[in-house]
Amino acid sequence: MYGVRIAGIGSYAPAGVLTNQDLERLVDTTDEWIVQRTGMRRRHIAAPDQATSDIAVPAALAALDAAGKQPKDVGAIIVATATPDYLFPATACIVGDRLGVAGTPAFDISIACSGFVYGLTTGASLIRGGMYESVLVIGAETLSKIVDYTDRSTCVLFGDGAGAAVLERCKDDRFLGATLGADGADPTVLYLPGGGSRTPYSSVNGEFHDKRLGFVHMQGQSVFKVAVNMMAASTTAALAQAGLTPDDIDFIVPHQANARIIDATVKMLKVSPDKCVVNIQEYGNTSSASIPLALAEAVAAGRVKDGNIVVLVAFGGGLSWGANVWRWDGARVGKVPASYAQPERAAQVATA
Ligand code: ACO
């Protein structure tokens, strides 16, 4: 078996910004309620003509820059997303073409907010087994396209963004442990009801929009209860594979779904909050992009140091969950090409 390390990371957030004050004008909510219940203040929102691949590409280029690699150096491309450009083909294929490497194997992972952890685990396994020397893993979402901006219980929560990591073969293995899990007993706890084979567009004769089938539906409290327990349990299980315990954590990057979920998880693990990154106030819940966005922020700020034991832990729709334990080994955050830089502007969202 080969060793694997994270060689570079990158992130990208679209220029549109939706604040709590903007949401106060859209639905019956308040800045105070949102901050107190979720920790969120702003979210970045893709433009109407911006799809998931459009924001995945700059994040990928930044990660490649940090790893000192060209797209052609990558053996496979994995995109974790719940908001693909199309149901098929995979968004990863479009990203590969946009990176100029059509022909490189590319596939999506559909496991909602756990996607980046599933993607890293899959990419690392492909490298360990000897199939590829390097894999590009991207978590990218345009959740604003499937959020119902007339439903206050969900529309305040979600934002858009992308993050990426380049994995590469190395001598001393830096991938110390991983657990993944899923329980599909009740898909309706958190789901997009329409557009799949259970309820195809063609089956509802124009009622798709009236029944809000193309929007996220969520039973928030049910998700909340599972989230804390499963994030803590999968962290402990992944650490145990490496002969470690939560006391050994130098830095933890949890999925950014709700500040209260993050607080309760680190408390359960008895990890000091200063070893944890929270950037939910700026991005909201960006599903599979939240971990690489938060990791990039922490690395850029110098909070993650060489040799650190770093845990990445997620939960999400499925329900699903997973954790990775990595020994940090010099990966830095790359630059997004200047052509993608845009000044911040007020976001446009569809409210009809
Ligand atoms: N503004 C004001 N009031 C609101 C809002 C809002 N935006 N949303 C709901 N309320 C009201 C409710 O109607 C309810 O009113 P009632 O008491 O009169 O019935 C009250 O606030 C309390 O609602 P709860 O749902 O009990 O609020 P809770 O404290 O559970 O917070 C939240 C809701 C934030 C959704 C929380 O349950 C949560 O974060 N759950 C986890 C969700 C999550 O992590 N989802 C993403 C998973 S990742 C993925 O795969 C996409």
Side-chain angles (χ1 to χ4, degrees):
M1 268 203 340
Y2 295 97
V4 51
R5 66 185 281 265
I6 296 177
I9 53 177
S11 68
Y12 180 76
V17 169
L18 188 71
T19 64
N20 288 355
Q21 289 70 28
D22 296 330
L23 286 160
E24 283 176 345
R25 288 188 282 275
L26 291 177
V27 289
D28 179 16
T29 192
T30 60
D31 173 54
E32 192 194 358
W33 191 96
I34 301 170
V35 173
Q36 200 184 49
R37 301 290 179 121
T38 71
M40 299 169 190
R41 293 180 187 276
R42 292 158 38 109
R43 328 79 205 116
H44 289 251
I45 302 291
D49 63 351
Q50 231 173 0
T52 295
S53 63
D54 298 325
I55 62 171
V57 168
L61 289 169
L64 287 160
D65 167 58
K69 289 190 191 298
Q70 302 295 319
K72 67 172 171 40
D73 301 328
V74 162
I77 299 168
I78 299 173
V79 174
T81 186
T83 48
D85 289 21
Y86 309 103
L87 270 182
F88 73 92
T91 301
C93 303
I94 298 163
V95 169
D97 175 72
R98 296 270 300 282
L99 293 175
V101 289
T104 297
F107 59 96
D108 287 2
I109 288 188
S110 171
I111 190 78
C113 305
S114 307
F116 194 70
V117 168
Y118 268 70
L120 285 180
T121 308
T122 306
S125 304
L126 290 169
I127 292 174
R128 275 187 165 170
M131 184 96 178
Y132 302 115
E133 287 187 22
S134 178
V135 175
L136 171 62
V137 181
I138 303 168
E141 303 284 3
T142 49
L143 293 162
S144 62
K145 314 279 181 176
I146 57 163
V147 163
D148 183 348
Y149 286 98
T150 66
D151 173 11
R152 70 175 182 174
S153 71
T154 53
C155 75
V156 302
L157 302 175
F158 297 103
D160 302 339
V166 174
L167 303 178
E168 73 175 6
R169 185 189 286 181
C170 67
K171 198 160 152 280
D172 296 323
D173 199 12
R174 303 306 191 193
F175 186 40
L176 308 185
T179 47
L180 303 175
D183 177 355
D186 183 2
T188 69
V189 171
L190 176 51
Y191 78 138
L192 185 68
S197 58
R198 179 74 57 198
T199 314
Y201 296 109
S202 53
S203 69
V204 282
N205 298 327
E207 293 171 34
F208 209 83
H209 187 75
D210 297 344
K211 292 184 174 169
R212 317 305 276 174
L213 298 180
F215 297 113
V216 174
H217 292 243
M218 181 178 75
Q219 297 161 34
Q221 287 190 353
S222 307
V223 179
F224 200 112
K225 280 174 203 148
V226 176
V228 177
N229 289 331
M230 294 322 296
M231 291 226 285
S234 41
T235 296
T236 306
L239 284 162
Q241 283 178 17
L244 301 171
T245 72
D247 286 347
D248 297 304
I249 295 174
D250 293 308
F251 207 78
I252 182 164
V253 184
H255 169 47
Q256 310 278 307
N258 184 315
R260 288 184 293 148
I261 292 175
I262 296 173
D263 288 349
T265 304
V266 293
K267 234 177 233 147
M268 196 177 264
L269 289 167
K270 299 196 174 66
V271 171
S272 158
D274 62 3
K275 294 180 175 177
C276 174
V277 55
V278 181
N279 66 356
I280 200 164
Q281 60 283 0
E282 174 64 25
Y283 299 103
N285 178 352
T286 57
S287 191
S288 68
S290 92
I291 288 178
L293 272 166
L295 177 64
E297 188 169 306
V299 171
R303 297 183 67 194
V304 180
K305 305 202 171 40
D306 267 11
N308 274 180
I309 297 293
V310 177
V311 170
L312 313 178
V313 58
F315 74 95
L319 294 174
S320 61
W321 54 88
N324 275 189
V325 183
W326 293 87
R327 187 177 291 284
W328 204 252
D329 182 16
R332 58 179 186 82
V333 184
K335 282 203 180 72
V336 171
S339 56
Y340 290 93
Q342 283 181 4
E344 238 178 63
R345 57 173 179 252
Q348 288 175 44
V349 291
T351 52

